[in-house]
Short mmCIF file of all heavy atoms in Angstrom, two decimals:
data_model
loop_
_atom_site.label_atom_id
_atom_site.label_comp_id
_atom_site.label_asym_id
_atom_site.label_seq_id
_atom_site.Cartn_x
_atom_site.Cartn_y
_atom_site.Cartn_z
N ILE A 29 0.82 -1.21 0.00
CA ILE A 29 0.00 0.00 0.00
C ILE A 29 0.86 1.26 0.00
O ILE A 29 0.49 2.27 -0.59
CB ILE A 29 -0.97 0.00 1.21
CG1 ILE A 29 -2.00 1.12 1.07
CG2 ILE A 29 -0.23 0.13 2.53
CD1 ILE A 29 -3.11 1.05 2.10
N PHE A 30 2.03 1.20 0.62
CA PHE A 30 2.90 2.38 0.66
C PHE A 30 3.42 2.72 -0.73
O PHE A 30 3.57 3.90 -1.07
CB PHE A 30 4.06 2.15 1.63
CG PHE A 30 3.59 1.97 3.07
CD1 PHE A 30 3.47 0.71 3.62
CD2 PHE A 30 3.26 3.07 3.83
CE1 PHE A 30 3.03 0.55 4.91
CE2 PHE A 30 2.81 2.92 5.13
CZ PHE A 30 2.70 1.66 5.68
N TYR A 31 3.68 1.70 -1.55
CA TYR A 31 4.14 1.94 -2.91
C TYR A 31 2.99 2.47 -3.78
O TYR A 31 3.21 3.30 -4.66
CB TYR A 31 4.71 0.65 -3.51
CG TYR A 31 5.88 0.11 -2.73
CD1 TYR A 31 5.73 -0.98 -1.87
CD2 TYR A 31 7.13 0.72 -2.80
CE1 TYR A 31 6.80 -1.46 -1.13
CE2 TYR A 31 8.21 0.23 -2.07
CZ TYR A 31 8.03 -0.85 -1.23
OH TYR A 31 9.09 -1.31 -0.49
N VAL A 32 1.79 1.98 -3.52
CA VAL A 32 0.61 2.47 -4.24
C VAL A 32 0.39 3.95 -3.92
O VAL A 32 0.16 4.77 -4.82
CB VAL A 32 -0.64 1.65 -3.88
CG1 VAL A 32 -1.89 2.27 -4.51
CG2 VAL A 32 -0.49 0.20 -4.34
N ILE A 33 0.45 4.29 -2.63
CA ILE A 33 0.27 5.69 -2.22
C ILE A 33 1.33 6.58 -2.84
O ILE A 33 1.04 7.69 -3.31
CB ILE A 33 0.29 5.79 -0.68
CG1 ILE A 33 -0.97 5.15 -0.08
CG2 ILE A 33 0.39 7.25 -0.22
CD1 ILE A 33 -0.95 5.00 1.42
N ASP A 34 2.57 6.09 -2.86
CA ASP A 34 3.66 6.87 -3.47
C ASP A 34 3.40 7.12 -4.95
O ASP A 34 3.62 8.23 -5.46
CB ASP A 34 4.98 6.12 -3.28
CG ASP A 34 6.16 6.88 -3.84
OD1 ASP A 34 6.43 8.00 -3.36
OD2 ASP A 34 6.82 6.37 -4.77
N THR A 35 2.89 6.10 -5.65
CA THR A 35 2.57 6.25 -7.07
C THR A 35 1.45 7.26 -7.27
O THR A 35 1.51 8.09 -8.19
CB THR A 35 2.15 4.89 -7.68
OG1 THR A 35 3.23 3.95 -7.52
CG2 THR A 35 1.83 5.02 -9.16
N ILE A 36 0.45 7.22 -6.41
CA ILE A 36 -0.68 8.16 -6.51
C ILE A 36 -0.18 9.60 -6.38
O ILE A 36 -0.50 10.48 -7.19
CB ILE A 36 -1.75 7.86 -5.44
CG1 ILE A 36 -2.44 6.53 -5.75
CG2 ILE A 36 -2.77 8.99 -5.37
CD1 ILE A 36 -3.31 6.01 -4.62
N TYR A 37 0.62 9.84 -5.35
CA TYR A 37 1.12 11.21 -5.14
C TYR A 37 2.04 11.65 -6.28
O TYR A 37 2.03 12.82 -6.67
CB TYR A 37 1.85 11.30 -3.80
CG TYR A 37 0.93 11.47 -2.62
CD1 TYR A 37 1.01 10.62 -1.52
CD2 TYR A 37 -0.02 12.48 -2.60
CE1 TYR A 37 0.17 10.78 -0.43
CE2 TYR A 37 -0.88 12.65 -1.52
CZ TYR A 37 -0.78 11.80 -0.44
OH TYR A 37 -1.62 11.96 0.62
N ARG A 38 2.83 10.73 -6.80
CA ARG A 38 3.72 11.07 -7.90
C ARG A 38 2.91 11.46 -9.15
O ARG A 38 3.27 12.41 -9.86
CB ARG A 38 4.65 9.89 -8.21
CG ARG A 38 5.80 10.26 -9.14
CD ARG A 38 6.86 9.18 -9.20
NE ARG A 38 6.36 7.93 -9.74
CZ ARG A 38 6.18 6.82 -9.03
NH1 ARG A 38 6.49 6.81 -7.74
NH2 ARG A 38 5.73 5.72 -9.59
N CYS A 39 1.83 10.73 -9.40
CA CYS A 39 0.98 11.04 -10.55
C CYS A 39 0.31 12.41 -10.38
O CYS A 39 0.19 13.17 -11.34
CB CYS A 39 -0.09 9.96 -10.72
SG CYS A 39 0.55 8.38 -11.29
N ILE A 40 -0.13 12.70 -9.16
CA ILE A 40 -0.74 14.00 -8.90
C ILE A 40 0.28 15.12 -9.11
O ILE A 40 0.00 16.13 -9.76
CB ILE A 40 -1.33 14.04 -7.48
CG1 ILE A 40 -2.53 13.08 -7.37
CG2 ILE A 40 -1.77 15.47 -7.11
CD1 ILE A 40 -3.04 12.88 -5.96
N ASP A 41 1.49 14.94 -8.56
CA ASP A 41 2.54 15.95 -8.69
C ASP A 41 2.94 16.17 -10.15
O ASP A 41 3.22 17.30 -10.57
CB ASP A 41 3.78 15.56 -7.88
CG ASP A 41 3.53 15.61 -6.38
OD1 ASP A 41 2.57 16.29 -5.97
OD2 ASP A 41 4.29 14.97 -5.62
N ASN A 42 2.97 15.07 -10.91
CA ASN A 42 3.40 15.15 -12.32
C ASN A 42 2.25 15.37 -13.29
O ASN A 42 2.45 15.41 -14.50
CB ASN A 42 4.16 13.87 -12.71
CG ASN A 42 5.43 13.69 -11.91
OD1 ASN A 42 6.01 14.65 -11.42
ND2 ASN A 42 5.87 12.44 -11.78
N ASN A 43 1.01 15.46 -12.73
CA ASN A 43 -0.19 15.66 -13.55
C ASN A 43 -0.35 14.55 -14.59
O ASN A 43 -0.61 14.79 -15.77
CB ASN A 43 -0.17 17.02 -14.24
CG ASN A 43 -1.53 17.40 -14.84
OD1 ASN A 43 -2.57 17.06 -14.29
ND2 ASN A 43 -1.52 18.07 -15.97
N LYS A 44 -0.20 13.30 -14.15
CA LYS A 44 -0.31 12.15 -15.05
C LYS A 44 -1.43 11.20 -14.60
O LYS A 44 -1.75 11.11 -13.42
CB LYS A 44 1.02 11.38 -15.09
CG LYS A 44 2.21 12.19 -15.56
CD LYS A 44 2.06 12.67 -17.00
CE LYS A 44 3.31 13.40 -17.46
NZ LYS A 44 3.16 13.94 -18.83
N LYS A 45 -1.97 10.48 -15.58
CA LYS A 45 -2.92 9.42 -15.27
C LYS A 45 -2.18 8.22 -14.69
O LYS A 45 -0.95 8.15 -14.74
CB LYS A 45 -3.67 8.99 -16.53
CG LYS A 45 -4.61 10.03 -17.09
CD LYS A 45 -5.35 9.49 -18.31
CE LYS A 45 -6.27 10.54 -18.90
NZ LYS A 45 -7.00 10.04 -20.09
N MET A 46 -2.95 7.29 -14.14
CA MET A 46 -2.36 6.07 -13.60
C MET A 46 -3.27 4.90 -13.91
O MET A 46 -4.46 5.08 -14.22
CB MET A 46 -2.16 6.18 -12.08
CG MET A 46 -3.45 6.27 -11.29
SD MET A 46 -3.19 6.35 -9.49
CE MET A 46 -2.47 4.73 -9.17
N ASN A 47 -2.71 3.69 -13.84
CA ASN A 47 -3.57 2.51 -13.89
C ASN A 47 -3.18 1.55 -12.77
O ASN A 47 -2.11 1.66 -12.17
CB ASN A 47 -3.56 1.84 -15.26
CG ASN A 47 -2.20 1.30 -15.66
OD1 ASN A 47 -1.34 1.03 -14.83
ND2 ASN A 47 -1.99 1.11 -16.95
N PHE A 48 -4.08 0.63 -12.48
CA PHE A 48 -3.88 -0.32 -11.39
C PHE A 48 -4.88 -1.45 -11.53
O PHE A 48 -5.87 -1.34 -12.26
CB PHE A 48 -4.08 0.37 -10.03
CG PHE A 48 -5.41 1.06 -9.88
CD1 PHE A 48 -6.51 0.39 -9.39
CD2 PHE A 48 -5.55 2.39 -10.28
CE1 PHE A 48 -7.74 1.02 -9.27
CE2 PHE A 48 -6.78 3.04 -10.17
CZ PHE A 48 -7.88 2.34 -9.66
N LYS A 49 -4.60 -2.53 -10.84
CA LYS A 49 -5.55 -3.64 -10.75
C LYS A 49 -6.32 -3.51 -9.44
O LYS A 49 -5.75 -3.09 -8.43
CB LYS A 49 -4.81 -4.98 -10.82
CG LYS A 49 -4.16 -5.24 -12.17
CD LYS A 49 -3.48 -6.61 -12.20
CE LYS A 49 -2.83 -6.87 -13.56
NZ LYS A 49 -2.17 -8.19 -13.62
N TYR A 50 -7.59 -3.89 -9.49
CA TYR A 50 -8.47 -3.72 -8.33
C TYR A 50 -9.13 -5.04 -8.00
O TYR A 50 -9.59 -5.75 -8.90
CB TYR A 50 -9.53 -2.66 -8.67
CG TYR A 50 -10.18 -2.01 -7.47
CD1 TYR A 50 -9.42 -1.40 -6.49
CD2 TYR A 50 -11.57 -1.98 -7.35
CE1 TYR A 50 -10.02 -0.78 -5.41
CE2 TYR A 50 -12.18 -1.36 -6.28
CZ TYR A 50 -11.40 -0.76 -5.31
OH TYR A 50 -11.99 -0.15 -4.23
N TYR A 51 -9.18 -5.40 -6.72
CA TYR A 51 -9.69 -6.73 -6.37
C TYR A 51 -10.59 -6.69 -5.13
O TYR A 51 -10.64 -5.69 -4.41
CB TYR A 51 -8.53 -7.69 -6.12
CG TYR A 51 -7.73 -7.41 -4.87
CD1 TYR A 51 -8.10 -7.95 -3.63
CD2 TYR A 51 -6.58 -6.62 -4.91
CE1 TYR A 51 -7.37 -7.70 -2.49
CE2 TYR A 51 -5.84 -6.36 -3.77
CZ TYR A 51 -6.24 -6.90 -2.55
OH TYR A 51 -5.52 -6.64 -1.41
N LYS A 52 -11.28 -7.79 -4.92
CA LYS A 52 -12.02 -8.03 -3.68
C LYS A 52 -11.74 -9.46 -3.25
O LYS A 52 -11.18 -10.26 -4.02
CB LYS A 52 -13.52 -7.83 -3.90
CG LYS A 52 -14.15 -8.83 -4.85
CD LYS A 52 -15.65 -8.61 -4.97
CE LYS A 52 -16.28 -9.66 -5.91
NZ LYS A 52 -17.75 -9.48 -6.01
N TRP A 53 -12.10 -9.80 -2.02
CA TRP A 53 -11.91 -11.17 -1.52
C TRP A 53 -13.14 -12.00 -1.83
O TRP A 53 -14.28 -11.56 -1.62
CB TRP A 53 -11.65 -11.17 -0.02
CG TRP A 53 -10.38 -10.50 0.38
CD1 TRP A 53 -10.25 -9.28 1.01
CD2 TRP A 53 -9.04 -10.99 0.20
NE1 TRP A 53 -8.93 -8.99 1.21
CE2 TRP A 53 -8.17 -10.01 0.73
CE3 TRP A 53 -8.51 -12.15 -0.38
CZ2 TRP A 53 -6.78 -10.17 0.71
CZ3 TRP A 53 -7.13 -12.29 -0.39
CH2 TRP A 53 -6.28 -11.32 0.15
N ASN A 54 -12.95 -13.23 -2.33
CA ASN A 54 -14.10 -14.11 -2.58
C ASN A 54 -14.29 -15.11 -1.44
O ASN A 54 -13.57 -15.05 -0.43
CB ASN A 54 -13.95 -14.84 -3.93
CG ASN A 54 -12.73 -15.77 -3.96
OD1 ASN A 54 -12.20 -16.19 -2.92
ND2 ASN A 54 -12.29 -16.11 -5.16
N GLU A 55 -15.22 -16.01 -1.62
CA GLU A 55 -15.56 -16.96 -0.54
C GLU A 55 -14.43 -17.94 -0.23
O GLU A 55 -14.43 -18.56 0.85
CB GLU A 55 -16.84 -17.74 -0.91
CG GLU A 55 -16.68 -18.79 -2.01
CD GLU A 55 -16.62 -18.21 -3.42
OE1 GLU A 55 -16.74 -16.97 -3.56
OE2 GLU A 55 -16.44 -19.01 -4.37
N LYS A 56 -13.46 -18.06 -1.13
CA LYS A 56 -12.30 -18.93 -0.88
C LYS A 56 -11.14 -18.17 -0.26
O LYS A 56 -10.03 -18.69 -0.16
CB LYS A 56 -11.85 -19.56 -2.20
CG LYS A 56 -12.90 -20.47 -2.84
CD LYS A 56 -12.39 -21.03 -4.16
CE LYS A 56 -13.43 -21.92 -4.83
NZ LYS A 56 -12.94 -22.43 -6.15
N LYS A 57 -11.40 -16.92 0.13
CA LYS A 57 -10.37 -16.04 0.69
C LYS A 57 -9.25 -15.78 -0.32
O LYS A 57 -8.09 -15.62 0.03
CB LYS A 57 -9.79 -16.61 1.99
CG LYS A 57 -10.83 -16.81 3.09
CD LYS A 57 -10.18 -17.35 4.36
CE LYS A 57 -11.22 -17.58 5.44
NZ LYS A 57 -10.62 -18.12 6.68
N GLU A 58 -9.66 -15.75 -1.59
CA GLU A 58 -8.73 -15.48 -2.67
C GLU A 58 -9.07 -14.13 -3.30
O GLU A 58 -10.22 -13.68 -3.27
CB GLU A 58 -8.82 -16.56 -3.75
CG GLU A 58 -8.42 -17.94 -3.27
CD GLU A 58 -8.73 -19.02 -4.30
OE1 GLU A 58 -9.56 -18.76 -5.20
OE2 GLU A 58 -8.13 -20.11 -4.20
N LYS A 59 -8.06 -13.51 -3.90
CA LYS A 59 -8.28 -12.24 -4.57
C LYS A 59 -9.05 -12.47 -5.87
O LYS A 59 -8.70 -13.33 -6.66
CB LYS A 59 -6.95 -11.56 -4.89
CG LYS A 59 -6.19 -11.09 -3.67
CD LYS A 59 -4.87 -10.47 -4.05
CE LYS A 59 -4.10 -10.04 -2.81
NZ LYS A 59 -2.77 -9.47 -3.17
N GLU A 60 -10.10 -11.69 -6.06
CA GLU A 60 -10.90 -11.75 -7.28
C GLU A 60 -10.81 -10.39 -7.95
O GLU A 60 -11.32 -9.39 -7.43
CB GLU A 60 -12.35 -12.09 -6.93
CG GLU A 60 -13.21 -12.40 -8.12
CD GLU A 60 -14.59 -12.88 -7.70
OE1 GLU A 60 -14.70 -14.02 -7.20
OE2 GLU A 60 -15.54 -12.09 -7.84
N TYR A 61 -10.14 -10.33 -9.10
CA TYR A 61 -9.86 -9.06 -9.75
C TYR A 61 -11.04 -8.57 -10.57
O TYR A 61 -11.72 -9.35 -11.24
CB TYR A 61 -8.62 -9.17 -10.63
CG TYR A 61 -7.35 -9.34 -9.82
CD1 TYR A 61 -6.87 -10.61 -9.50
CD2 TYR A 61 -6.65 -8.23 -9.35
CE1 TYR A 61 -5.72 -10.77 -8.74
CE2 TYR A 61 -5.51 -8.38 -8.60
CZ TYR A 61 -5.04 -9.65 -8.30
OH TYR A 61 -3.90 -9.80 -7.56
#
């Protein structure tokens, strides 16, 4: 999360877009993207 936050702030400072993968936890306690 600290690297994600750093990327967010860097994009804001540099006025750039960003991309990322987004997930939730499923019933098997696995990441579901």
Side-chain angles (χ1 to χ4, degrees):
I29 191 171
F30 296 99
Y31 300 103
V32 173
I33 290 171
D34 182 61
T35 301
I36 291 169
Y37 279 128
R38 192 168 63 250
C39 290
I40 293 171
D41 292 340
N42 297 335
N43 193 34
K44 300 297 183 183
K45 292 182 181 180
M46 66 178 295
N47 63 22
F48 55 90
K49 294 182 180 180
Y50 201 55
Y51 70 87
K52 65 178 182 179
W53 295 107
N54 63 21
E55 73 283 358
K56 297 178 181 178
K57 300 181 181 179
E58 297 171 340
K59 292 178 182 178
E60 190 174 288
Y61 290 91

